[in-house]
């Protein structure tokens, strides 16, 4: 599972502000889908009236959360 993340450097007149945008959707199952989401996020941001100096999209691998409760794990060990 992969989570899209976008790094922006926005120029605000006198200074630049580094900004990170996380994908609001659940993790993508494939790396290709993750990069597609990052591109979609960039497309939406770049349609605005922002002075973007630099923008990069990337993906980070996330682990699936275990669906078992701690009690179920203990019972298996006994």
């Amino acid at each position: 599972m992969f989570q899209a993340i976008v790094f922006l450097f926005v120029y605000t007149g006198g200074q630049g502000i580094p900004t990170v945008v996380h994908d609001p959707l659940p993790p993508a199952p494939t790396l290709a889908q993750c990069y597609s989401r990052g591109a979609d996020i960039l497309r939406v941001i770049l349609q605005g009236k922002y002075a973007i100096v630099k923008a990069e999209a990337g993906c980070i691998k996330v682990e699936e959360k275990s669906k078992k409760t701690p009690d179920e794990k203990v019972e298996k060990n006994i």
Side-chain angles (χ1 to χ4, degrees):
M1 304 292 276
F2 300 92
Q3 186 74 36
I5 187 167
V6 175
F7 300 98
L8 301 172
F9 193 73
V10 183
Y11 184 71
T12 60
Q15 63 184 11
I17 300 175
T19 305
V20 177
V21 179
H22 294 275
D23 185 2
L25 299 174
T30 66
L31 190 57
Q33 289 175 339
C34 179
Y35 277 116
S36 178
R37 286 187 187 176
D40 289 341
I41 293 169
L42 282 175
R43 187 177 306 115
V44 169
I45 291 170
L46 295 176
Q47 288 176 353
K49 305 283 188 226
Y50 307 106
I52 306 294
V53 176
K54 185 176 182 178
E56 293 182 13
C59 292
I60 54 175
K61 188 170 185 171
V62 294
E63 298 293 325
E64 279 191 71
K65 293 181 181 179
S66 176
K67 296 179 182 175
K68 297 178 183 176
T69 62
D71 294 336
E72 290 175 352
K73 290 180 183 176
V74 172
E75 289 175 13
K76 282 192 166 188
N77 291 334
I78 295 177

